[in-house]
Amino acid sequence: MNNEEVAKFKPDFVTPHIDYSARMPTSKMYTEMTGMFNTDALVKYCWEQIAEPSYGNSWYTLYYFQMLNLNKQDVFEACPMLAEVDKHTPIKGMGITLMSPGFYYKIHTDHGRGVCFNMLLNTNESITAYVTPPTAEHIQGETFRLKYNLNEMYLFNTQVPHTVFNFVENRYMFTVEFHENKELLTYRGLKKRLKQQGLIGNTTVQL
């Protein structure tokens, strides 16, 4: 079949115009807290706990993840900035989630918490993505990938629909939950609070 014959089978359509200016900015989904946290000691502590949990802690199932709780004071010693955050925005708990390879988590928003800190400890082979729901007129929604830098803390908006795919190895994530639920503490609200308390600068976070 020559090129002219192949051309006959090409669909006759116009590529739809996409208004990228209307897309939700990623700053409303997550913020990399570059320079705010020194995570070296915290990362070391997390891997020690993964290898041999302290205080009789053990892994348990939470929302289809495996979860390991961490001792709050030990975490504060390893990462003093989290202790500073806790003075103004009390932290309920901290832990490590484990997601097995070959699984994904359905698109969802978190049930109770409106915002959290996350830090990916390993595997760049996993994918974290935010999505926007399709409208009545369109069957497609938009996707936005969060490309975690390993061992960097991120402020994560749990109330924008998101999903996780894991492929190759166990995926370990350090995560922080606050006492205030999603009605009392939002992603935008925590960003503003951290800025007011001088824990982040004007150039680090855009409200």
Side-chain angles (χ1 to χ4, degrees):
M1 184 179 292
N2 59 41
N3 290 339
E4 291 183 358
E5 291 173 324
V6 170
K8 294 179 182 179
F9 293 94
K10 291 184 178 179
D12 183 17
F13 68 91
V14 178
T15 302
H17 173 70
I18 299 175
D19 182 8
Y20 286 100
S21 66
R23 288 164 62 93
M24 180 185 294
T26 56
S27 62
K28 293 184 181 294
M29 305 172 196
Y30 63 87
T31 301
E32 183 180 353
M33 309 305 290
T34 304
M36 178 178 173
F37 293 92
N38 183 338
T39 63
D40 293 347
L42 177 58
V43 170
K44 181 175 182 291
Y45 171 74
C46 286
W47 283 111
E48 290 172 349
Q49 294 304 299
I50 291 170
E52 187 175 354
S54 302
Y55 308 103
N57 289 333
S58 59
W59 295 92
Y60 63 96
T61 301
L62 180 68
Y63 300 119
Y64 301 98
F65 284 99
Q66 292 298 302
M67 182 78 183
L68 178 67
N69 290 333
L70 299 176
N71 180 271
K72 186 183 290 188
Q73 293 307 314
D74 287 352
V75 173
F76 287 166
E77 289 180 11
C79 186
M81 183 56 74
L82 283 172
E84 290 298 315
V85 173
D86 181 65
K87 291 177 182 178
H88 305 283
T89 306
I91 292 173
K92 181 179 180 180
M94 293 170 282
I96 300 168
T97 63
L98 184 161
M99 187 176 187
S100 299
F103 287 87
Y104 80 98
Y105 203 83
K106 69 177 183 179
I107 296 172
H108 68 287
T109 59
D110 284 20
H111 176 70
R113 61 183 184 175
V115 59
C116 67
F117 283 127
N118 279 345
M119 179 175 67
L120 187 64
L121 297 169
N122 73 320
T123 184
N124 283 326
E125 296 296 329
S126 63
I127 293 175
T128 301
Y130 285 95
V131 304
T132 60
T135 65
E137 296 80 17
H138 303 284
I139 63 172
Q140 292 182 331
E142 297 174 330
T143 60
F144 307 82
R145 183 176 179 181
L146 165 50
K147 294 184 178 180
Y148 280 106
N149 292 320
L150 295 183
N151 305 328
E152 291 281 354
M153 202 76 74
Y154 286 75
L155 192 64
F156 190 95
N157 188 346
T158 64
Q159 294 306 300
V160 176
H162 55 280
T163 183
V164 179
F165 292 83
N166 192 32
F167 300 99
V168 177
E169 60 182 342
N170 285 342
R171 175 185 184 269
Y172 295 101
M173 174 80 77
F174 170 82
T175 189
V176 174
E177 182 174 5
F178 297 96
H179 274 288
E180 295 168 278
N181 62 21
K182 63 183 180 182
E183 283 78 27
L184 299 175
L185 185 64
T186 65
Y187 170 78
R188 181 178 174 85
L190 182 55
K191 286 173 71 172
K192 185 175 181 180
R193 190 180 298 182
L194 293 172
K195 184 176 179 181
Q196 289 173 339
Q197 292 161 359
L199 298 180
I200 54 178
N202 293 338
T203 59
T204 305
V205 174
Q206 296 179 355
L207 295 178

